[in-house]
Amino acid sequence: MKSVHPILQCWLALLLITITGCAATPPFDYSLFRSHRPRSILVLPPLNQTTDVNAPYSYLSTITRPLAECGYYVYPVAVVDAYMKENGLPSAEEMHGVALKKIRDIIGADAVLYVTIEEWGQKYVVVQSVTTIRATAQLIDTVSGQVIWHGTQAVSQGSGGGGDPIAMLIAAAVTQMIGNVSDFTHDLSRTANHGMIYNVDNGFLAGPYLPPQENEHCGKY
Amino acid sequence: MATIVKPLGLAFCFLALSGCAPAPSLYYWGEYEDLIYQMYAEPGSADPATQIAKLREDIGKAGEAGKPVPPGLHAHLGYLYFLQSDTHAAVLEFETEKKLFPESATFVDGMLGRLKK
């Protein structure tokens, strides 16, 4: 019997580590989500820990759809942003500081989604470029102030691959040339948001506008 | 008789198909989210007049598709009319939002209060 190539062995070991790493995650605790069951969600412009000034608005324009399709009423994100700016809250930091009672009184939201963007955009790893989005989110009940759901969305997409260094170099160059990096990041953000909310292990529970589902989630996978 | 059966058959076909689809969407999305992205990323390409025209078009297409427009769209449109100083149209849109989605009442009433001042 032919022995397994050392590089393949290495990959198999890595794969095993990844699998066991996933299995060790404890089940998500939905008790507070279940007991509060919001109908309406206010998404505030995210806090931005990156240097990409477009990241918050790119994010903000891809979050309404997955939440609404999950059955929730989502306040118009751009109108809320403009309204808050007109009322003396020029930045996301200040908007995130508004008291929950005030949000409930003025906007009427049952819950607020607070998002922090941690990574956004391209990094160059040798000849590859990797586009990464990483954001954390907390859904907070406006009456009790409790965190009823929290999640992380992290998604990376690399260019190149294969193993032939010249092919990788060309692939990286082509990916970088296919114009607009921000549009690419924007699409990736859409994918990431969808994944975060529709994940049946730790995503959202279905909201009031969604017809009864097979399970209590809005996602099926 | 045949004229009645035909559309019914078609409707059934659509129902069956939508049942099979992985994720039938609740709403007709059109350009709502893309416009939000554009108004921040490339402000010149999505001024209020352009947005109003595209959202109006989406509302028409949603009607043809037999689907509601997403939450927030009518309020967004109302805000655009407000920016154009068309208070009458703004009020109508905000009221439509409230009628379609009663959850918006507190926010919309606040906007209406400011508009009617």
Side-chain angles (χ1 to χ4, degrees):
Chain A
M1 193 183 145
K2 208 177 159 190
S3 68
V4 183
H5 193 279
I7 291 180
L8 192 61
Q9 279 180 4
C10 201
W11 275 111
L12 284 173
L14 243 173
L15 190 70
L16 209 68
I17 291 166
T18 318
I19 291 169
T20 50
C22 289
T25 315
F28 195 90
D29 179 4
Y30 281 106
S31 51
L32 287 173
F33 205 143
R34 283 194 193 102
S35 59
H36 290 92
R37 284 287 163 144
R39 293 188 62 86
S40 58
I41 296 176
L42 172 72
V43 187
L44 288 176
L47 296 180
N48 187 13
Q49 295 180 344
T50 78
T51 52
D52 187 333
V53 292
N54 280 325
Y57 294 108
S58 192
Y59 184 96
L60 205 56
S61 64
T62 57
I63 188 70
T64 306
R65 186 168 180 157
L67 286 175
E69 289 290 345
C70 188
Y72 293 95
Y73 177 74
V74 184
Y75 292 86
V77 288
V79 183
V80 168
D81 177 56
Y83 173 81
M84 293 210 164
K85 282 176 178 161
E86 282 163 24
N87 284 278
L89 302 165
S91 71
E93 282 75 13
E94 283 153 299
M95 294 178 199
H96 282 228
V98 176
L100 289 170
K101 189 185 179 305
K102 209 165 178 184
I103 287 180
R104 195 163 176 86
D105 289 349
I106 294 171
I107 297 175
D110 293 334
V112 184
L113 190 69
Y114 293 93
V115 178
T116 302
I117 297 173
E118 296 173 346
E119 273 186 69
W120 192 273
Q122 285 193 314
K123 273 191 283 195
Y124 297 92
V125 186
V126 198
V127 290
Q128 282 201 79
S129 70
V130 179
T131 305
T132 304
I133 285 177
R134 194 182 157 79
T136 54
Q138 283 193 320
L139 186 67
I140 296 186
D141 177 70
T142 55
V143 175
S144 65
Q146 285 172 310
V147 179
I148 59 175
W149 177 89
H150 60 90
T152 302
Q153 53 159 195
V155 64
S156 290
Q157 197 154 327
S159 68
D164 177 357
I166 306 248
M168 281 170 73
L169 194 64
I170 291 169
V174 168
T175 314
Q176 282 156 36
M177 275 188 324
I178 301 176
N180 214 317
V181 173
S182 75
D183 281 349
F184 180 65
T185 320
H186 182 67
D187 289 341
L188 204 58
S189 163
R190 189 174 291 124
T191 310
N193 275 332
H194 192 273
M196 179 177 81
I197 289 159
Y198 282 74
N199 189 313
V200 283
D201 294 324
N202 52 23
F204 267 55
L205 299 182
Y209 283 98
L210 203 67
Q213 300 293 296
E214 293 158 26
N215 56 39
E216 59 179 343
H217 293 262
C218 47
K220 287 194 177 72
Y221 56 87
Chain B
M1 185 65 195
T3 46
I4 300 166
V5 171
K6 230 177 183 177
L8 270 178
L10 257 180
F12 180 77
C13 190
F14 276 123
L15 270 177
L17 278 174
S18 63
C20 296
S25 63
L26 293 177
Y27 305 105
Y28 180 89
W29 285 88
E31 296 202 49
Y32 175 51
E33 285 207 300
D34 290 338
L35 287 171
I36 293 172
Y37 178 53
Q38 281 170 33
M39 67 184 266
Y40 289 114
E42 320 149 39
S45 70
D47 57 88
T50 310
Q51 286 198 56
I52 288 171
K54 290 196 168 168
L55 290 175
R56 283 258 149 254
E57 209 177 295
D58 277 347
I59 292 171
K61 287 182 188 165
E64 286 165 24
K67 278 195 176 178
V69 294
L73 187 143
H74 281 286
H76 185 86
L77 189 53
Y79 179 69
L80 294 168
Y81 279 123
F82 159 75
L83 290 179
Q84 291 207 316
S85 309
D86 187 345
T87 310
H88 178 70
V91 167
L92 277 180
E93 293 304 329
F94 279 119
E95 279 173 350
T96 306
E97 177 81 16
K98 192 164 89 169
K99 210 171 104 194
L100 293 176
F101 300 102
E103 293 83 1
S104 68
T106 305
F107 184 54
V108 163
D109 285 344
M111 294 299 236
L112 289 172
R114 280 149 39 97
L115 280 172
K116 286 171 178 170
K117 253 183 228 166

